[in-house]
Amino acid sequence: MATQVERITTFPNFAGDSAFAIGEYEQKSLPLAVETLQRLYSYMLKCRTVEERIRILFRQGRFAGNYFAAVGQEATQVGVTMDLLPEDTIAPSHRNFITHIMKGTPLPQLLAQIYGRKTSPDQGRSAPAHCGYAPLNIITPASTIAAQLNIGTGIALAYKMRQQRNVVVALSGEGSTSLGFWHEAVNFAGLHKLPMVIVVENNGWAESVPVTLQTAVTDISEKAKAYGIPGVTVDGNDVVEVYQAARTAITRAREGQGPTLLECKTYRWYGHSEIDPAKYREPREVQEWKGRDPIPRMERFLEEQGIWTNDWKQNLLKEFEAEIEQAIAFAEASPFPEPEEALDHVYSFDIRERELAPKTWEPKLGR
Amino acid sequence: MPVMTYIDAINTALDEEMTRDEQVFIIGEDVGKMGGVFKATKGLQEKFGVDRVIDSPLAEGVIVSSSIGAAMAGMRPVAEIQFADFITPAMDAITQQAAKLRYRSAGTQTCPLTVRVCYGGGVGGGLYHSQTNTSWFIHTPGLVVVAPSTAYDAKGLLKSAIRDDNPVMFFEHKKLYRSVKEEVPDEDFTVPLMKAEVKKSGSDLTVISYGYTLQLSLQAAEKMKQQHGVDVEVVDLRTLVPLDKDTFLESVARTNRVVIVHEDNRTLGIGAEISAVIAEQAFDCLDAPITRVTAPDVPAVPFSAPLEHFYMPSVEKIVAAMERTIRY
């Protein structure tokens, strides 16, 4: 049974904000199957459950380092990544850990990443914020903001040169659009009509600096005009709207029509990271945005369509929690890497011997 | 065997590699129709098309970072940085991305990228067209840094760099482009990366250098022979990182005296590292203090001729250092 587009256009806008406009590229005739709606919902729920659990693990001191939760932004990240093929690339930022769940990186390995264990995708080298997964084309994000967009343009260039029908979805926050890197990448992508979707997760805050101190434009998507590509702003807490806009952009990219700048207006519930109590924000603002929580919004919508029940949700949660517990158990039982492994994978050849046991020389001539 | 200039050797290497492997492509400023400001890519766009010789926007950051992405996807990009002085917008891409990619992904994501960088002074280029900034990159593990001093090596090393699975910074000295000529096979050959070469053997003193100053060192060695009968061994590093320590340490073990010459600034230039390696691994081999001939620690290569002359290592300065070392 397919859910027809009328239902989508009646998707309730709990934000009560008419400023969000879907761009001209939305195809109103796009049907969403019940199954698609259910998947969008269940992935949001799973991502939320995983991240809230990781936050607890951090506060329990069960892993070192830090974590950059995307709680509150699930509709954006789930919506833009759900339609990707295994061969497509995600170029994530530090707050896109949950895109791994979307692409299919095994959860036990992801938890091992958090714990710095040898069984993780990069054998304990990087923090969760820098985790990539080569088998599914998730590039390792660096913390230099917006740099992943530039790397993404190169992958998209390779797709184009090889006439591969694949796309690159690059994600970054609104703060990234203040960097030269960001503009170089969007310019280059537009110039070469690269198969990319450039997603700006506008959550209002670049660490402690509000978007109003980053840029004079109201909608980041306006910046697309400067690079000759379409710019679209959507309600980033409305998963159906995000999904539809992303699907249009992905289709355009796959068909060789070039990149789209997709701005999703959303909000992060917590601080920049787990060590940031985010006291720079007004509690009222946080409460308002929590009222626009994408998950209950979707629940109400699905319930109206007769395809959501609390029992179903509880069953999903039970399933996710069991999966997470198993992943945590796997991670905690996994070994740490051996210390000397810090010398591995610097080059395509081994440097251990020359680093650990340098030779010494004696004079050869008579002195 | 044809006689080639250093720049011809580079052009030939690019041509041959693009013919051999269709994953190889070129991207950089003015590399297309113009063939590069120094003509290193002359005729290649005509031959291979605009999709394989890409005139980039004026943005070094995107030249290198888009090359990194393409390399991750299995292509073999050769990016050109017109002048080493302009490389700073690409520093994030080089040091944070290319150098760390293999490491941070435990070898599951790799970056077979070559960045050709035109560097060096002695041509009246002034503050922003003369710099030797190899040390910025030799301090960054994960990169292979190559700097040939002859036309033969330029061709053979560039071909190796393009085929190598590591990100390679390939430094071409602009003063060498047309000043050195030699017979270079017009066929496929490579020169191994990570291997220094004894360019001239000798028994009394070892001089260690690379790039343009290697050529000056060869001339200085000739003068030492003529003027003092001193037999100087000349070691060309060729690859600056990872450093082929064995070749120069063996040389020092034979000659017991060493002069290091480079055009990069003195402090923490590669001479400092080589000195430390000799002190740590071959201290007993030394009969005289290690001597360095380098550029001074000033922020740029000055424009006015006497100032630039003072800045640059020269045959005279190298000979003077060799004399001091021999007389010690």
Side-chain angles (χ1 to χ4, degrees), chain A residues 162-208:
Chain A
R162 292 177 177 154
Q163 300 175 322
Q164 256 174 277
R165 279 172 59 87
N166 288 110
V167 299
V168 177
V169 171
L171 299 109
S172 65
E174 82 289 343
S176 75
T177 67
S178 301
L179 274 114
F181 291 148
W182 189 90
H183 295 271
E184 288 184 26
V186 184
N187 179 55
F188 192 75
L191 175 70
H192 288 283
K193 281 190 176 288
L194 298 180
M196 280 186 90
V197 182
I198 296 148
V199 179
V200 174
E201 292 182 76
N202 184 351
N203 66 17
W205 293 88
E207 196 148 357
S208 70

Side-chain angles (χ1 to χ4, degrees), chain B residues 4-35:
Chain B
M4 277 188 205
T5 59
Y6 189 93
I7 193 101
D8 289 340
I10 286 163
N11 183 271
T12 311
L14 291 169
D15 192 337
E16 287 179 13
E17 288 306 293
M18 290 184 81
T19 305
R20 187 187 59 81
D21 180 356
E22 62 179 22
Q23 305 299 329
V24 178
F25 74 95
I26 291 171
I27 182 166
E29 292 156 13
D30 307 303
V31 296
K33 208 166 189 177
M34 186 170 166

